[in-house]
Amino acid sequence: MATSKSNDARRKCRATASIFSGRPDPQWSVPASTANRLKRLWRQLDAAEGPAGRAPALGYRGVTLECGAGDPWFAYGGTVSRGREHRRDPKRQFERELLESAPAGLIPDAVLRQLG
Amino acid sequence: MSLRITVDIFSGRPNPVITVEGRKARDLLERVKPDRRLTRGEMPAPAFRLGYRGLIIEQTRVVSRTLPRVFRVAGGAIYGPRLAHAIADPGFEESFASPSGPGARLRAPRDFPGILREEIRILKEFRKVFIPRKIIWPRRPLCRCAPLYEPAWWNDGGQKQLHNNCYNYATNYRTDTFHVVPDGSQPGAAAGAMYTALTCASVRPAAIADGLINSPRANNKCPKEGHLVALVIWPGVDFHWYRKGRNGRWSHKPGSTPVTNVDNSSNPISDPRTADRGGYTNFCTFMVVMHGHIKIQ
């Protein structure tokens, strides 16, 4: 019998980086291995008091990971959020790894450089 | 001793109220008594906000000599006649709203305690980042023909907000097509003349093909007819539009995000040429939108 965990692993995951104003934001499929690694990382992160600080109106504003019908993960500025749960990711590992899973050229270099 | 505490949070519905008496009331007054005076520039009583605005505490029988009969506790501070101080226990509101605090006895919807705790957190965050600003409103409309600044209409968190971009907002032309691939809400698409590069030289004629009028010498002045918009470019990456509203101030809608009237430094936008525009470093041009004369796909 399939468990909810294995169902979860089979769900296709998509990422969206919130960057643009005029053009649609870049979206891409996230490989299952990357998605599973990010989910493991999420479980290891310490709780944060609240969501990340407000992003600027223009330019890079964070990245979202959606896998099936559950709440998506949103990473920005050292915090990863899912629903009402917020976790600290001071090295922005979740955010960076998710952005780096995008096909080459999809995310502007300036944004990747911004993450350090 | 008896205290009537109103959770000042709602706008349309009556606020929840609770009474605290005896020793608990005395303890509560000890926790909210004034500590250091707030300095100039710190958040004033947040009665102007939507959402949680604090706890209004009324001493209904015996009145403490050290506190006024009615005062407000909000964001870890106490406000009242001659009062604008931090309170002795900065965690008082959180403990009020905790499952074991007086707030748990409030007659309110079942999910209210959680909402209240989140709202208390939001107000404290707001207090941290609060910057006092003197807002001078124009006495009469500066741009009579320009659209009103009505963010609530666009910021519905759904169809209007998510499926319209900066071009829709600036031109005040809702298409709900932003995510229609490949050319929804894109300059020039309706005229079959979509831009081919993310440069001023390519996006400007595309917008002109949609019916916008290039006005490079508008110099931030309202046109006699129609309204003024501004095109900026993040070279090779994206374009962005602003619009000048009836009050003479500029506003914009970055992609699917909500409409706002501030720039990347949270300052009001009096001129998009000098606003903090992040990566959109290239100011391209002003243009005029004649209402009813343009077409966007």
Side-chain angles (χ1 to χ4, degrees), chain A:
Chain A
M1 196 172 80
T3 64
S4 64
K5 206 168 183 178
S6 59
N7 278 339
D8 207 38
R10 277 203 303 273
R11 279 184 198 130
K12 288 212 170 120
C13 296
R14 285 189 71 73
T16 306
S18 184
I19 303 175
F20 299 141
S21 174
R23 299 163 59 198
D25 284 323
Q27 291 195 330
W28 67 97
S29 293
V30 179
S33 56
T34 306
N36 289 335
R37 216 166 34 244
L38 291 171
K39 288 175 194 171
R40 272 200 302 278
L41 175 60
W42 160 257
R43 288 193 288 270
Q44 289 161 6
L45 297 175
D46 293 331
E49 280 182 9
R54 215 171 74 176
L58 290 178
Y60 175 63
R61 301 178 287 271
V63 60
T64 303
L65 173 66
E66 287 173 283
C67 301
D71 280 336
W73 289 263
F74 174 75
Y76 178 73
T79 305
V80 185
S81 302
R82 190 181 192 206
R84 289 180 156 237
E85 212 173 327
H86 312 288
R87 300 195 181 173
R88 288 193 306 117
D89 182 18
K91 291 183 180 162
R92 303 175 83 165
Q93 209 179 329
F94 190 107
E95 191 177 2
R96 186 179 295 109
E97 189 160 341
L98 186 51
L99 285 172
E100 284 172 355
S101 71
L106 196 63
I107 307 293
D109 287 344
V111 170
L112 296 173
R113 279 200 301 273
Q114 199 179 318
L115 263 65

Side-chain angles (χ1 to χ4, degrees), chain B residues 16-289:
Chain B
V17 177
I18 193 173
T19 302
V20 177
E21 296 187 313
R23 191 173 56 80
K24 284 184 176 166
R26 277 192 296 279
D27 289 348
L28 190 153
L29 290 185
E30 274 300 302
R31 297 176 71 181
V32 302
K33 69 183 182 190
D35 188 15
R36 68 163 181 89
R37 187 165 190 83
L38 299 184
T39 54
R40 199 183 166 89
E42 282 194 82
M43 181 186 79
F48 57 91
R49 281 172 61 83
L50 285 178
Y52 175 69
R53 297 174 286 271
L55 304 171
I56 299 170
I57 302 178
E58 296 172 62
Q59 304 185 67
T60 50
R61 286 186 214 148
V62 185
V63 177
S64 149
R65 277 180 300 169
T66 52
L67 289 166
R69 195 180 67 78
V70 183
F71 57 91
R72 178 188 295 269
V73 171
I78 181 170
Y79 302 93
R82 291 184 294 280
L83 266 182
H85 293 69
I87 55 174
D89 177 3
F92 164 72
E93 288 155 280
E94 287 84 349
S95 96
F96 175 88
S98 72
S100 57
R105 290 192 288 116
L106 285 164
R107 292 183 66 183
R110 203 155 50 92
D111 53 353
F112 182 75
I115 294 170
L116 178 58
R117 285 193 288 275
E118 178 65 4
E119 285 283 316
I120 289 170
R121 188 192 67 72
I122 290 168
L123 181 62
K124 286 203 162 172
E125 281 298 310
F126 177 73
R127 184 181 168 193
K128 276 190 221 161
V129 301
F130 176 80
I131 300 168
R133 287 205 183 93
K134 192 174 178 186
I135 299 173
I136 301 165
W137 297 102
R139 289 202 181 152
R140 60 178 161 226
L142 292 173
C143 304
R144 280 190 317 113
C145 300
L148 283 170
Y149 178 60
E150 44 183 4
W153 190 84
W154 292 91
N155 300 348
D156 63 352
Q159 186 74 4
K160 283 183 273 186
Q161 181 184 315
L162 301 178
H163 298 277
N164 291 281
N165 69 357
C166 56
Y167 192 44
N168 293 111
Y169 178 72
T171 53
N172 209 22
Y173 193 115
R174 174 186 170 189
T175 59
D176 293 352
T177 54
F178 185 30
H179 297 293
V180 175
V181 177
D183 48 14
S185 304
Q186 299 301 296
M194 197 168 128
Y195 62 87
T196 52
L198 287 156
T199 60
C200 182
S202 186
V203 181
R204 182 178 43 206
I208 292 169
D210 284 339
L212 281 77
I213 302 164
N214 194 26
S215 308
R217 277 179 276 189
N219 196 24
N220 199 12
K221 300 274 192 321
C222 306
K224 281 191 181 140
E225 299 295 337
H227 73 271
L228 201 61
V229 297
L231 169 62
V232 299
I233 301 284
W234 182 355
V237 176
D238 193 22
F239 61 87
H240 182 61
W241 293 84
Y242 297 86
R243 83 181 194 195
K244 191 173 173 84
R246 200 168 295 179
N247 62 359
R249 288 295 174 91
W250 291 81
S251 57
H252 58 146
K253 182 178 186 300
S256 293
T257 70
V259 166
T260 177
N261 59 359
V262 295
D263 69 7
N264 267 25
S265 300
S266 294
N267 289 319
I269 305 166
S270 55
D271 189 332
R273 292 174 296 189
T274 54
D276 181 350
R277 305 194 303 264
Y280 298 79
T281 50
N282 186 0
F283 182 88
C284 182
T285 187
F286 290 111
M287 287 195 179
V288 170
V289 174

